[in-house]
Amino acid sequence: MIFSHKITSITSEPFSNPHVRKVLDSVMSKVMYETQGNAMFCDPFARESFTTLLDNCITNDLNPEFECDFNLEFKEFAYTIQERGHVLDLVFFDPPYSLTQLKKQYDGIGKDLELWQTKNMWKEGKDTLASMMRPGSYVISLGWNANGFGSKRGFEKTEIHLFEQQAREEQFTLFVIVEKKVQRTLKEF
C-alpha cells in the first residue's frame, strides 16, 4: 500500500491541485495500460472537472448549469448508467463532503434535500456503481475520511494520500483514497 502526506493549498475544486492531479493521472495511466486504452471512466459529481473533457468518461452533476452527460441525483445517475449496460474501469468519487457543502453547491437549483439523503447520502449509488465494476477496476474517492467504497463492496485500498491545508488550521485534511476491486467469487465477471 502507498501512503503519502503533502501540505498544500486545496480549493473547492481539488482536481485542479497539482498534487491531487498527479495521483489521478497516475491511476488513469495505470487503468489505460491495463485495459489497453479501452477504459470507461465515470464522474458522478463532475461540476467543471477535467473529466467533462474526456471522451471515455460518463459525467454527471445535479446542477444543470454544468455541461455533463447527465444532470441527475447521484442514485438516479448510477441506476441510469447501469440500465444502459455500462461496465466501469475507473470511478472518480468526489461528492460534497458534508451537508454544508451539499447545501452550498446545490442550493437554489430547484431541488429539495430529502431526509434519506442526510442519513447515508451515497450508499445506494455506491452499491450500484460497484456492481458495474469488474475485478481490477479502480475507485478514487476524495473526502474528509478514508472510507472510500470499502471491502463490503469488494474493494481494497491500494493508496492513501493525505493533503493537509497549508496555513489553514480550521480546514480539514483531504483524503484521496485509491481502491481496487478484487474478485471475491467465481461468479464475478
Side-chain angles (χ1 to χ4, degrees):
M1 176 156 349
I2 298 171
F3 291 97
S4 76
H5 174 259
K6 297 257 189 268
I7 297 175
T8 187
S9 179
I10 300 289
T11 66
S12 62
E13 298 294 332
F15 286 2
S16 64
N17 179 284
H19 302 294
V20 173
R21 187 59 192 263
K22 185 176 178 182
V23 173
L24 302 179
D25 288 344
S26 170
V27 176
M28 285 191 312
S29 293
K30 188 183 315 183
V31 170
M32 291 303 284
Y33 177 78
E34 290 175 4
T35 63
Q36 299 175 353
N38 201 18
M40 179 58 68
F41 300 163
C42 172
D43 187 347
F45 301 92
R47 299 185 60 78
E48 297 176 293
S49 169
F50 75 95
T51 59
T52 61
L53 304 174
L54 300 174
D55 291 334
N56 62 332
C57 189
I58 306 165
T59 58
N60 178 65
D61 197 276
L62 181 61
N63 190 336
E65 175 185 317
F66 299 111
E67 291 186 34
C68 295
D69 298 317
F70 297 92
N71 295 108
L72 302 171
E73 188 272 320
F74 171 56
K75 181 173 69 171
E76 186 181 343
F77 166 71
Y79 289 144
T80 299
I81 65 171
Q82 182 186 46
E83 287 173 0
R84 294 181 181 195
H86 288 288
V87 177
L88 304 173
D89 299 294
L90 175 61
V91 172
F92 299 97
F93 192 73
D94 185 24
Y97 308 151
S98 66
L99 289 175
T100 302
Q101 277 192 352
L102 186 69
K103 182 171 175 46
K104 190 184 298 183
Q105 288 180 3
Y106 297 113
D107 199 26
I109 65 166
K111 303 271 184 184
D112 292 326
L113 188 62
E114 303 291 331
L115 181 61
W116 68 266
Q117 292 170 310
T118 65
K119 301 286 186 206
N120 191 342
M121 295 185 283
W122 318 126
K123 182 191 179 311
E124 287 182 59
K126 281 181 170 182
D127 291 345
T128 303
L129 290 182
S131 73
M132 300 165 54
M133 300 178 77
R134 66 179 126 235
S137 301
Y138 289 86
V139 174
I140 303 172
S141 301
L142 286 79
W144 291 337
N145 61 55
N147 292 345
F149 270 44
S151 60
K152 288 183 181 176
R153 292 185 184 93
F155 291 86
E156 64 180 29
K157 290 176 178 57
T158 61
E159 301 178 29
I160 298 176
H161 303 274
L162 305 178
F163 296 96
E164 189 177 337
Q165 291 285 359
Q166 182 176 18
R168 296 180 70 189
E169 292 180 14
E170 73 281 358
Q171 296 293 321
F172 293 101
T173 297
L174 175 68
F175 287 74
V176 178
I177 307 301
V178 179
E179 296 171 289
K180 187 173 186 177
K181 187 159 189 185
V182 294
Q183 186 163 339
R184 298 184 302 180
T185 69
L186 293 176
K187 290 182 180 183
E188 292 179 297
F189 290 89

